[in-house]
């Protein structure tokens, strides 16, 4: 058969997330209508049953998160999609999935908050909620797509990471990415690397559901697949049974966190553009990184040594990479569609040795390249006086 | 000497955490005997529970057991059942767990008529947290959050479930343990959303605070206040004052959610072939 | 054996798991003829012969401490 060139398509960001989920093997969606993510539910309501998958619109976001966890425990790759208000409601059960190590994907298409905010306007204000929305010391993996193409590929990656590390993965999109339409060339599903949860060997005399492998990740038997065991949000030991033993509690909490932090090489995704000799580096993620790229390009055109470092994985925060950039550049500029959230992580990495400056907007509109360029220019003058 | 229920219990986890005389163990025993009657395949049965004294039951049962978050057991169970309809799913909740924080999920699970068997351990109190009243606590009862006794009217849980769409509704008590086993067995056999309320006793929190005596005295209270639905027919309203009905209260047939969804899958596949 | 004695032969043997019994007293109150609370605060079988095998004690034991096995 002739090698058919992959067809380019015009696709909406939310549609790309739905298609990416199907490509990743997701066969269960539970959700609740909320702008600006509802298209994901609508598309999956149509496409999942055709594949023998299951779609359900639950009574609220809390039950949607619960149903996703139940379905995943029963063996189906599962996801939910929401926006700020729904993301807030899902936090307790998100924490349950983290504690019980049940893989699933939670898509949050951010909108202008707080509270009801401007439902149809874009923002990046849920970044810290993605990290600390649920209570207690817990790990989080959160990815931020900056295009429709990436909305597809990162959804596949989100499922892979959730299955690999037996933990929920948050896909932190935003209204402008979710609703815009762009040209995409979807890879053939056969080309995609798909990871499935590691299973225990059959026929074990005793299956300890939370006895970790060498990588800290316990093999996972789906419910009713040959092993009977207990799952609880209570602090538990290797057998899955509840415990209040101090040493076991510490061991569990540290394992949950180390399971992610020890594998940053597999989790951290970033993109550097013209940072090799950059004196001013713009760090950005999501839609804002596109304005930043244009600003860096314009700065280079006027002889300013600027560079862009794009975060794709924002949690765990790429401390190592950002620390290196802080040593290289005299100024880091961090544009965000919030009043400054992830910038705090950069300041921690910079340890006051580097000038860290934000460009912030909470108007529901994009930060323009010119705004970032002006900030770059303002920082250049500061550096010249110093000579 | 083996207890007949041993086959279905994680005996290494016993003794359980419930207080002496607590009715939860009796209700759990009735449930386990229902499993015996049903010949439950433990490898193909999931028991989902919420949070509270009753919900610790899942940990003692040798099944696939899921001890979830407060009020959300039915939502987790819906996910499991829809994902794999061939799995038999029981849900254990307390009175507050099911009708207070879990009320929204209760009425929607009933509305959907998804094939779940919910057993509500109703001891009229939040026992785990030390004795607060719940939406099923009888008016005028004392609790730590009702020092002047409750002014609220409790739900009639079976009525609520029936009105929301449940297709099998029954009630029994920890005293009427044999009847409870029968009703749980019938509920599990019924295809659709089944709710069995088990009036049970909390001597340490509810009983003590309401001067109802010990575990045995509270069983006797249940015996005197429960009226089998067949006997209630020839009782005057006056005779029924302060009493509650036990037995099979409502039963009907309606399409079951996962059956309907399987039909939807076939329909969607037919349509997509035509496109 | 006298007819009456024959019928008194228990159909079921009652056994108490002392480790599991929490001494709640429900079974002894339900069946004072056969069961009695002992000084240890736990229940004990005081008069096995009078057991009719009704299993009321086992069905109402909150602690799975009573086994009534058919002989």
């Amino acid at each position: 058969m002739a090698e058919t060139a992959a067809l380019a398509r015009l696709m909406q960001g939310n549609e790309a997330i739905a298609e990416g989920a199907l490509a990743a093997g997701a066969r269960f969606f539970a959700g609740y209508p909320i702008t600006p993510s509802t298209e994901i539910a609508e598309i999956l309501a149509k496409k999942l049953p055709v594949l023998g998958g299951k779609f359900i619109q639950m009574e609220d976001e809390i039950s949607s998160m619960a149903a996703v966890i139940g379905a995943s425990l029963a063996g189906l790759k599962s996801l939910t999609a929401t926006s700020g208000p729904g993301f807030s409601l899902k936090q307790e059960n998100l924490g349950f999935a983290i504690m019980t190590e049940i893989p699933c994907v939670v898509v949050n298409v951010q909108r202008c908050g707080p509270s009801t905010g401007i439902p149809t306007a874009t923002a990046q204000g849920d970044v810290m909620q993605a990290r600390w929305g649920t209570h207690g010391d817990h790990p989080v993996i959160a990815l931020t797509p900056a295009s429709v193409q990436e909305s597809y590929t990162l959804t596949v990656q989100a499922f892979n990471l959730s299955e690999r590390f037996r933990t929920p993965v948050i896909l932190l999109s935003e209204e402008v990415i979710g609703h815009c339409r762009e040209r995409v060339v979807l890879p053939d599903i056969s080309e995609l690397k798909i990871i499935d949860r590691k299973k225990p060997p059959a026929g074990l005399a005793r299956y300890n559901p939370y006895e970790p492998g060498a990588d800290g990740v316990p093999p996972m038997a789906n419910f009713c697949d040959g092993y009977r065991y207990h799952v609880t949000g209570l602090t538990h030991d290797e057998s899955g049974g509840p415990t209040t033993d101090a040493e076991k509690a510490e061991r569990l909490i540290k394992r949950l966190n180390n399971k992610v932090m020890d594998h940053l090489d597999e989790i951290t995704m970033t993109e550097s553009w013209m940072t090799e000799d950059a004196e001013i580096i713009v760090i950005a993620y999501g839609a804002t990184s596109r304005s930043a790229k244009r600003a860096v390009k314009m700065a280079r055109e006027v002889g300013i040594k600027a560079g862009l470092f794009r975060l794709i994985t924002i949690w765990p925060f790429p401390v190592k990479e950002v620390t290196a950039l802080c040593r290289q550049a005299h100024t880091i500029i961090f544009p965000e569609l919030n009043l400054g959230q992830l910038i705090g992580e950069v300041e921690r990495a910079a340890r006051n040795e580097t000038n860290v400056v934000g460009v912030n907007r909470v108007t529901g509109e994009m930060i323009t390249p010119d705004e970032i360029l002006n900030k770059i220019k303002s920082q250049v003058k500061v550096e010249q006086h110093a000579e | 000497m083996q207890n007949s229920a041993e086959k279905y219990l994680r005996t290494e986890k016993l003794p359980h955490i419930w207080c002496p005389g607590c009715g939860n163990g009796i209700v759990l025993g009735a449930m386990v005997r229902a499993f015996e009657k049903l010949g439950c395949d433990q490898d193909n049965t999931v028991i989902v529970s919420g949070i509270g004294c009753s919900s610790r039951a899942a940990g003692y049962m040798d099944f696939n057991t899921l001890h979830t978050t407060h009020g959300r057991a039915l939502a987790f169970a819906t996910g499991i059942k829809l994902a794999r309809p061939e799995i038999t799913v029981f849900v254990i909740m307390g009175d507050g767990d099911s009708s207070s924080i879990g009320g929204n999920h209760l009425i929607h699970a009933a509305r959907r008529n998804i094939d779940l068997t919910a057993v509500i351990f109703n001891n009229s109190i939040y026992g785990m947290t030390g004795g607060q009243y719940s939406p099923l606590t009888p008016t005028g009862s004392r609790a730590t959050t009702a020092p002047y006794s409750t002014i609220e009217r409790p739900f009639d849980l079976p009525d609520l479930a029936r009105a929301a769409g449940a297709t099998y509704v029954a009630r029994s008590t920890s005293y009427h343990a044999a009847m409870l086993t029968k009703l749980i067995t019938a509920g599990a056999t019924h295809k659709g959303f089944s709710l069995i309320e088990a009036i049970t006793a909390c001597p340490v929190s509810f009983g003590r605070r309401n001067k109802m005596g010990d575990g045995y005295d509270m069983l006797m209270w249940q015996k005197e206040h429960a009226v089998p639905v067949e006997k209630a027919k020839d009782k005057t309203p006056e005779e029924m004052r302060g009493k509650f009905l036990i037995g099979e209260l409502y039963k009907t047939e309606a399409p079951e959610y996962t059956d309907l969804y399987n039909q939807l899958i076939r329909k969607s596949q037919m349509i997509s072939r035509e496109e | 054996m006298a007819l009456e004695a024959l019928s008194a032969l228990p159909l079921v043997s009652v056994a108490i798991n002392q480790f599991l019994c929490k001494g709640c007293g429900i079974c002894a109150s339900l069946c004072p003829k056969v069961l009695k609370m002992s000084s240890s605060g736990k229940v004990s079988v005081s008069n096995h012969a009078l057991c009719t095998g009704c299993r009321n004690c086992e069905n109402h034991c909150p602690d799975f401490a009573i086994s009534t096995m058919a002989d």
Side-chain angles (χ1 to χ4, degrees):
Chain A
M1 222 196 31
E3 179 61 48
T4 52
L7 273 175
R9 289 169 52 181
L10 187 65
M11 188 180 275
Q12 188 193 53
N14 281 345
E15 184 185 357
I17 289 174
E19 292 294 343
L22 297 176
R27 289 300 177 267
F28 188 93
F29 176 94
Y32 188 82
I34 184 167
T35 300
S37 77
T38 314
E39 294 83 1
I40 297 170
E42 289 166 340
I43 292 162
L44 289 176
K46 190 159 195 328
K47 295 204 164 191
L48 270 171
V50 179
L51 298 168
K54 312 291 174 77
F55 165 90
I56 185 166
Q57 182 173 300
M58 293 295 282
E59 51 270 24
D60 53 34
E61 286 92 346
I62 299 169
S63 48
S64 299
M65 189 70 220
V68 158
I69 296 167
S72 179
L73 188 51
L76 297 186
K77 288 187 181 181
S78 307
L79 78 154
T80 185
T82 190
S83 184
F87 194 48
S88 295
L89 288 174
K90 289 178 194 285
Q91 291 300 324
E92 184 192 3
N93 283 339
L94 176 62
F96 180 87
I98 293 170
M99 182 65 150
T100 55
E101 303 180 81
I102 295 170
C104 57
V105 170
V106 178
V107 180
N108 176 16
V109 186
Q110 297 170 93
R111 77 193 203 181
C112 203
S115 186
T116 313
I118 311 173
T120 54
T122 202
Q124 297 177 322
D126 306 349
V127 168
M128 297 312 281
Q129 180 181 28
R131 178 67 185 92
W132 294 113
T134 196
H135 56 284
D137 288 285
H138 59 275
V140 157
I141 298 175
L143 314 178
T144 50
S147 67
V148 172
Q149 179 82 29
E150 213 172 37
S151 295
Y152 181 91
T153 53
L154 281 191
T155 299
V156 175
Q157 183 61 358
F159 274 99
N160 284 345
L161 291 174
S162 81
E163 293 283 318
R164 164 78 178 94
F165 295 108
R166 277 195 68 174
T167 190
V169 171
I170 297 166
L171 185 72
L172 209 51
S173 183
E174 51 203 284
E175 185 280 326
V176 74
I177 300 285
H179 276 167
C180 79
R181 282 178 170 74
E182 284 184 310
R183 178 183 182 282
V184 290
V185 177
L186 299 187
D188 191 83
I189 287 186
S190 59
E191 293 160 24
L192 289 174
K193 184 167 85 85
I194 301 295
I195 297 176
D196 294 319
R197 59 197 68 173
K198 188 174 60 180
K199 295 219 163 115
L204 289 177
R206 177 155 184 73
Y207 168 58
N208 269 334
Y210 291 101
E211 196 167 322
D215 58 6
V217 182
M220 178 173 174
N222 298 328
F223 262 8
C224 302
D225 270 2
Y227 292 114
R228 294 199 295 269
Y229 64 97
H230 185 59
V231 173
T232 178
L234 284 169
T235 297
H236 45 273
D237 58 28
E238 281 77 12
S239 78
T243 179
T244 53
D245 172 82
E247 192 268 327
K248 286 179 180 170
E250 180 179 40
R251 194 182 330 139
L252 173 65
I253 294 169
K254 286 190 171 172
R255 178 177 68 75
L256 289 177
N257 283 280
N258 294 337
K259 153 176 95 162
V260 170
M261 299 311 286
D262 291 348
H263 296 97
L264 297 182
D265 50 335
E266 294 181 55
I267 296 168
T268 302
M269 291 177 285
T270 60
E271 181 191 2
S272 299
W273 194 69
M274 308 189 81
T275 53
E276 300 73 17
D277 64 342
E279 293 160 9
I280 297 175
I281 293 174
V282 181
I283 299 181
Y285 55 92
T288 309
S289 65
R290 299 169 70 146
S291 301
K293 193 161 194 178
R294 168 55 63 87
V296 163
K297 190 162 175 285
M298 292 193 285
R300 283 280 175 174
E301 281 158 7
V302 294
I304 299 170
K305 288 191 173 132
L308 167 70
F309 182 71
R310 180 166 75 94
L311 305 172
I312 301 169
T313 306
I314 59 164
W315 303 115
F317 186 76
V319 178
K320 189 159 54 70
E321 293 83 348
V322 169
T323 305
L325 295 175
C326 288
R327 283 201 200 90
Q328 172 191 329
H330 64 70
T331 294
I332 301 282
I333 294 175
F334 202 139
E336 279 184 283
L337 289 176
N338 54 48
L339 291 179
Q341 291 191 23
L342 214 50
I343 193 169
E345 298 301 309
V346 176
E347 284 159 350
R348 280 169 67 175
R351 292 197 194 85
N352 288 324
E353 293 152 21
T354 321
N355 175 29
V356 180
V357 180
V359 179
N360 302 93
R361 178 183 278 275
V362 286
T363 62
E365 297 153 339
M366 294 276 293
I367 295 171
T368 64
D370 288 335
E371 281 177 83
I372 300 170
L373 179 61
N374 294 339
K375 184 63 77 174
I376 293 173
K377 287 178 177 169
S378 69
Q379 294 311 311
V380 166
K381 289 191 196 65
V382 163
E383 194 269 328
Q384 268 155 5
H385 290 324
E387 271 155 32
Chain B
M1 187 61 78
Q2 298 295 65
N3 178 303
S4 59
E6 184 138 330
K7 173 170 182 282
Y8 297 101
L9 294 176
R10 291 180 172 131
T11 49
E12 74 280 8
K13 300 286 183 186
L14 297 176
H16 52 59
I17 60 160
W18 296 317
C19 311
C22 164
N24 287 353
I26 303 172
V27 175
L28 175 56
M31 216 174 158
V32 163
R33 283 185 292 280
F35 293 141
E36 243 170 330
K37 278 202 163 62
L38 292 161
C40 258
D41 172 0
Q42 292 162 267
D43 283 325
N44 193 47
T45 303
V46 171
I47 297 171
V48 184
S49 66
I51 290 291
C53 294
S54 61
S55 292
R56 284 307 203 90
Y60 303 120
M61 303 164 91
D62 187 6
F63 287 79
N64 294 280
T65 51
L66 178 60
H67 179 216
T68 66
T69 45
H70 193 37
R72 319 303 176 185
L74 280 169
F76 279 87
T78 297
I80 292 169
K81 188 66 181 180
L82 181 57
R84 284 172 62 185
E86 72 280 9
I87 291 177
T88 304
V89 181
F90 287 85
V91 183
I92 290 174
M93 289 171 286
D95 41 308
D97 199 28
S98 60
S99 73
S100 198
I101 185 169
N104 194 27
H105 313 307
L106 176 66
I107 57 176
H108 288 279
R111 176 180 61 83
R112 291 192 190 94
N113 193 38
I114 186 164
D115 190 15
L116 300 172
T117 305
V119 180
I120 314 299
F121 291 43
N122 175 12
N123 59 2
S124 302
I125 197 88
Y126 284 91
M128 183 68 86
T129 39
Q132 300 73 38
Y133 71 96
S134 85
L136 304 189
T137 300
T139 310
S141 304
R142 284 188 185 273
T144 59
T145 43
Y148 307 107
S149 68
T150 57
I151 56 174
E152 296 175 22
R153 296 160 62 219
F155 286 126
D156 179 317
L157 197 62
D159 266 4
L160 180 68
R162 184 185 55 73
T167 48
Y168 182 89
V169 181
R171 174 192 287 133
S172 184
T173 81
S174 45
Y175 176 74
H176 304 82
M179 176 194 284
L180 187 52
T181 292
K182 196 163 59 64
L183 296 175
I184 292 172
T185 305
T189 311
H190 171 78
K191 193 161 179 72
F193 188 74
S194 307
L195 181 133
I196 301 100
E197 179 186 22
I199 303 286
T200 181
C202 170
V204 165
S205 276
F206 190 74
R208 184 164 52 83
R209 232 168 241 106
N210 290 282
K211 299 179 180 55
M212 298 179 74
D214 62 15
Y216 174 71
D217 300 324
M218 295 183 82
L219 287 179
M220 291 307 109
W221 181 88
Q222 290 166 15
K223 179 182 173 186
E224 281 133 29
H225 288 77
V227 177
V229 64
E230 317 79 51
K231 294 211 175 69
K233 290 190 181 62
D234 45 45
K235 287 242 190 303
T236 66
E238 191 45 43
E239 285 167 322
M240 284 302 290
R241 184 178 301 286
K243 302 280 183 2
F244 55 85
L245 295 176
I246 56 172
E248 206 166 87
L249 304 176
Y250 178 70
K251 182 177 167 114
T252 187
E253 294 301 324
E256 191 274 334
Y257 193 84
T258 62
D259 283 350
L260 291 172
Y261 199 83
N262 285 332
Q263 290 165 31
L264 182 147
I265 286 176
R266 285 190 293 281
K267 182 173 142 190
S268 73
Q269 288 166 340
M270 218 170 43
I271 291 168
S272 86
R273 272 194 295 278
E274 284 151 16
E275 276 158 3
Chain C
M1 193 184 286
L3 196 60
E4 183 259 306
L6 192 67
S7 70
L9 271 180
L11 314 164
V12 157
S13 53
V14 187
I16 310 294
N17 179 325
Q18 294 298 323
F19 171 63
L20 292 179
C21 170
K22 291 181 182 170
C24 71
I26 285 177
C27 57
S29 301
L30 282 172
C31 186
K33 281 197 252 113
V34 176
L35 300 167
K36 139 165 113 38
M37 299 311 291
S38 64
S39 54
S40 69
K42 308 235 173 168
V43 71
S44 64
V45 180
S46 62
N47 192 338
H48 195 266
L50 297 177
C51 168
T52 64
C54 75
R55 292 181 187 273
N56 226 353
C57 55
E58 179 179 358
N59 290 347
H60 289 94
C61 172
D63 300 303
F64 301 96
I66 301 179
S67 303
T68 51
M69 302 301 282
D71 286 343

